Amino acid sequence: MKKISLFLLLISTSIFGMHHAKLDVIVFAIDLEINEGKENSAVSFVSTITDNVKKNEPQTLVYQYHFSNTENKVFLLEIYPNNEAALFHMKNFTGTKWEAEFVENFSIKSASILGNANSKLKEALGPYTTDFRGNLYGFDRVAGELSEEISKIK
């Protein structure tokens, strides 16, 4: 599962990772572990929060939980078109019932934030990670073609 998650992460950053004038993608790559005795409630919570994010955060491009078939490990992949969309997600999460239920169900094992996170986003994510990795090298043919369409998502 970890190999699949890493593959998905590489594809996602490849698809959206290029720096564009209108598109400056932020990726949250988070390894989680389901807390003991929370296997059933974790699945229920993921269904509910995913529906909430889909309904209330139209700029969230990708929001996926990848569960291991044999262990209590989960990989959470979140992709946003820019810092503002990622900050909007954090404002909808931090200090709410969503955060409380998330912490009840999962323990964060590692969290990496990929992309050019600004100081406001770094501050909002401070309680969860200090691993911020900016874009330095690479190219992206797909995002070059889709950046205008992605930037129009409201």
Side-chain angles (χ1 to χ4, degrees):
M1 182 65 173
K2 194 170 199 172
K3 289 180 183 179
I4 292 171
S5 296
L6 289 173
F7 176 71
L8 290 170
L9 174 63
L10 291 174
I11 288 173
S12 297
T13 57
S14 172
I15 291 171
F16 299 112
M18 188 175 178
H19 181 83
H20 298 277
K22 294 182 179 179
L23 186 64
D24 199 6
V25 171
I26 301 294
V27 177
F28 294 8
I30 307 169
D31 273 313
L32 304 168
E33 190 170 284
I34 299 173
N35 293 334
E36 188 174 335
K38 295 295 182 177
E39 295 79 9
N40 291 333
S41 67
V43 171
S44 175
F45 167 74
V46 164
S47 175
T48 305
I49 194 170
T50 299
D51 289 345
N52 179 69
V53 170
K54 187 174 184 178
K55 178 182 175 186
N56 296 306
E57 298 179 24
Q59 286 196 306
T60 300
L61 301 175
V62 175
Y63 190 80
Q64 300 174 336
Y65 287 81
H66 300 269
F67 283 74
S68 168
N69 290 330
T70 58
E71 301 177 46
N72 284 341
K73 295 183 179 186
V74 179
F75 181 77
L76 172 56
L77 177 64
E78 304 178 32
I79 302 177
Y80 304 94
N82 52 44
N83 280 276
E84 292 75 23
L87 272 168
F88 185 76
H89 171 74
M90 292 307 298
K91 288 177 184 173
N92 288 337
F93 179 78
T94 306
T96 69
K97 71 174 188 167
W98 302 113
E99 181 182 37
E101 288 184 53
F102 183 90
V103 171
E104 181 181 317
N105 286 287
F106 299 106
S107 297
I108 297 174
K109 295 304 171 187
S110 69
S112 299
I113 309 306
L114 312 178
N116 299 313
N118 65 23
S119 59
K120 288 181 182 178
L121 184 57
K122 287 180 180 178
E123 183 179 333
L125 289 165
Y128 307 101
T129 189
T130 58
D131 185 1
F132 296 93
R133 303 178 193 198
N135 295 340
L136 187 57
Y137 296 106
F139 68 91
D140 188 332
R141 291 183 179 103
V142 175
E145 297 294 322
L146 298 177
S147 63
E148 281 190 48
E149 287 82 2
I150 293 169
S151 66
K152 291 176 187 175
I153 298 172
K154 300 290 181 208

